[in-house]
Amino acid sequence: HCWNWSFKYIEAKLDIIASLGYTTIQTSPIQEAKQPTLDFPTNDWWVYYQPAAFRIDNTGNSALGTKADFEKMCKAAHDKGLKVIVDVVANHMANHMAGNTLSTVIPAYIREDATAWHDYTKDTTDKHYASGDRFGITQYCMGGVPDLNTGSDKVQSYVLDYLKECIDAGADGFRFDGAKHIETPEDGSCASNFWPYVINGATEYAKSTRGIDLYCYGEATDYVLHC
């Protein structure tokens, strides 16, 4: 796990990584973040987990680097027999200053679309976790960030299009942040086909365009995902 490592730094360390027996590296989220990350303290890691858009950050304001840097690093990794996993934030987007308010940097077509959001006046609480209340866990906000309506066809398409962009750029797999906060097809009244649509769509795309078997996993969840 190359935690907060820039693409250029990862590339410079590939020989060492390979010599230690690793076969795969994982990057921090490479989505556009809520604010520039150049010259920011490494303990501000949370900025990467408040995305502003579903696209690779190519603004020149990311401490990780540009899209071209990512592509170059992926090629170098592949040349050395290493695969690349990208951390993905699909459950929520950036807040504005604090609380579950929508950041003004989120594109208007998402920010101003009421169907793209769950009720961001409500938060998931310890009671929801303790009781296994999947509605409260998947439909309310996590830690002050506005919760996306991952049951929305449009939101699912935004996520899948982003994964395809990453695959085209060289990603071989994905780690999904906050996976337990995204509903499964088995979640009763709050169920959705987010996981089958996104995972199967990305898997098929990776196979058809690059001939690879995509690897996906999620942050700790209490449920097995049947996609």
Side-chain angles (χ1 to χ4, degrees):
H1 190 182
C2 301
W3 180 253
N4 285 7
W5 293 18
S6 73
F7 307 135
K8 290 182 179 179
Y9 188 77
I10 295 173
E11 184 176 349
K13 300 297 181 181
L14 289 176
D15 284 333
I16 295 175
I17 292 170
S19 72
L20 292 172
Y22 292 103
T23 59
T24 309
I25 60 173
Q26 179 177 307
T27 71
S28 292
I30 65 175
Q31 291 158 260
E32 246 179 69
K34 66 181 289 184
Q35 64 195 52
T37 52
L38 288 174
D39 302 319
F40 81 135
T42 55
N43 60 350
D44 284 347
W45 58 268
W46 56 269
V47 176
Y48 293 121
Y49 289 86
Q50 289 204 33
F54 285 113
R55 55 179 175 250
I56 297 175
D57 192 331
N58 200 33
T59 62
N61 295 320
S62 173
L64 299 181
T66 64
K67 183 175 180 178
D69 293 333
F70 176 75
E71 292 171 333
K72 185 171 179 289
M73 181 273 292
C74 286
K75 183 180 184 307
H78 294 157
D79 288 344
K80 297 180 186 300
L82 297 169
K83 296 181 179 179
V84 179
I85 289 176
V86 170
D87 204 350
V88 175
V89 183
N91 170 70
H92 60 269
M93 298 194 85
N95 63 25
H96 181 63
M97 301 298 289
N100 301 322
T101 55
L102 302 181
S103 173
T104 56
V105 300
I106 299 171
Y109 69 88
I110 299 178
R111 187 181 68 250
E112 297 174 4
D113 181 0
T115 68
W117 305 96
H118 284 143
D119 184 352
Y120 48 84
T121 66
K122 297 179 180 178
D123 288 301
T124 301
T125 67
D126 289 341
K127 289 183 179 180
H128 294 125
Y129 294 125
S131 64
D133 179 356
R134 288 294 291 164
F135 188 91
I137 293 171
T138 65
Q139 308 297 295
Y140 297 156
C141 296
M142 176 187 70
V145 288
D147 198 60
L148 283 162
N149 177 12
T150 40
S152 160
D153 291 345
K154 284 187 287 187
V155 171
Q156 293 175 12
S157 293
Y158 299 151
V159 175
L160 179 55
D161 286 345
Y162 169 63
L163 299 188
K164 289 179 178 178
E165 180 189 12
C166 292
I167 292 167
D168 288 341
D172 303 293
F174 301 101
R175 179 261 188 188
F176 288 88
D177 181 65
K180 68 182 177 183
H181 293 274
I182 300 177
E183 64 283 340
T184 73
E186 292 85 22
D187 275 327
S189 63
C190 60
S192 88
N193 68 338
F194 175 90
W195 292 111
Y197 180 82
V198 170
I199 299 296
N200 292 344
T203 298
E204 292 168 5
Y205 184 79
K207 193 69 172 179
S208 65
T209 60
R210 291 180 46 209
I212 64 171
D213 293 320
L214 199 69
Y215 180 81
C216 298
Y217 79 104
E219 184 179 9
T221 179
D222 299 327
Y223 296 86
V224 175
L225 303 180
H226 299 287
C227 299

